[in-house]
Amino acid sequence: MCDFCKIARKELPAHIVYENENVIAFLDYDPIHEGHTLVCPKEHVDSIDKLSEEVVLDTMKAASKLVGAFREVYGNDSYGIMQNGGKCCDYGHAHFHIFPRYDNDGFGWVYPEGKSEYSEAIAEKIKEYI
């Protein structure tokens, strides 16, 4: 059983900030900024496309609640949401990083070398499977 499953079952300690029957949200032990929270479905999957629509909606509702809480607690409207899935999912358990952002906070995306294609053909290819 993974650590996130153990946290959801209260077998490992965590600073839980939100929970319902489908998701649990707790402070990240290695935060980007104060308040950095992980929102995890309680079901052990490595990708959001493996979750029911209900659980995905509950996950996004929790994210929305956190963003509102950050506005009240930290007094700003900036935030980041990140999620890696499949083989890129660090712990093998789907989770979203939700954290406050600040002007000039130093956090940013790192793009790979080279240029990726941007075209209508790419959009059509993706739309075909949605």
Side-chain angles (χ1 to χ4, degrees):
M1 183 182 316
C2 82
D3 285 349
F4 292 169
C5 287
K6 289 178 183 175
I7 289 171
R9 290 187 168 103
K10 311 295 190 302
E11 296 169 4
L12 279 179
H15 298 293
I16 298 168
V17 298
Y18 177 80
E19 182 175 13
N20 70 18
E21 71 180 48
N22 293 318
V23 301
I24 188 164
F26 51 92
L27 295 180
D28 191 308
Y29 74 91
D30 187 22
I32 291 170
H33 295 301
E34 180 182 313
H36 180 169
T37 302
L38 301 181
V39 177
C40 299
K42 291 182 177 179
E43 179 183 352
H44 183 85
V45 298
D46 66 357
S47 180
I48 65 168
D49 64 321
K50 295 176 182 174
L51 294 168
S52 70
E53 186 173 303
E54 177 186 2
V55 175
V56 172
L57 290 172
D58 277 357
T59 302
M60 289 298 99
K61 286 177 186 176
S64 178
K65 289 176 185 293
L66 281 163
V67 168
F70 292 162
R71 183 176 297 111
E72 295 299 319
V73 172
Y74 299 109
N76 65 346
D77 287 329
S78 299
Y79 61 91
I81 297 177
M82 297 184 341
Q83 197 271 334
N84 295 314
K87 290 181 182 179
C88 291
C89 183
D90 316 22
Y91 294 92
H93 190 121
H95 61 285
F96 288 77
H97 295 260
I98 321 272
F99 50 95
R101 293 288 314 271
Y102 305 94
D103 292 340
N104 302 311
D105 65 8
F107 183 81
W109 301 111
V110 177
Y111 288 91
E113 296 285 326
K115 186 118 173 105
S116 295
E117 185 176 345
Y118 170 82
S119 69
E120 185 62 30
I122 297 296
E124 290 301 321
K125 188 187 311 185
I126 294 168
K127 284 194 290 189
E128 181 180 331
Y129 291 95
I130 291 181

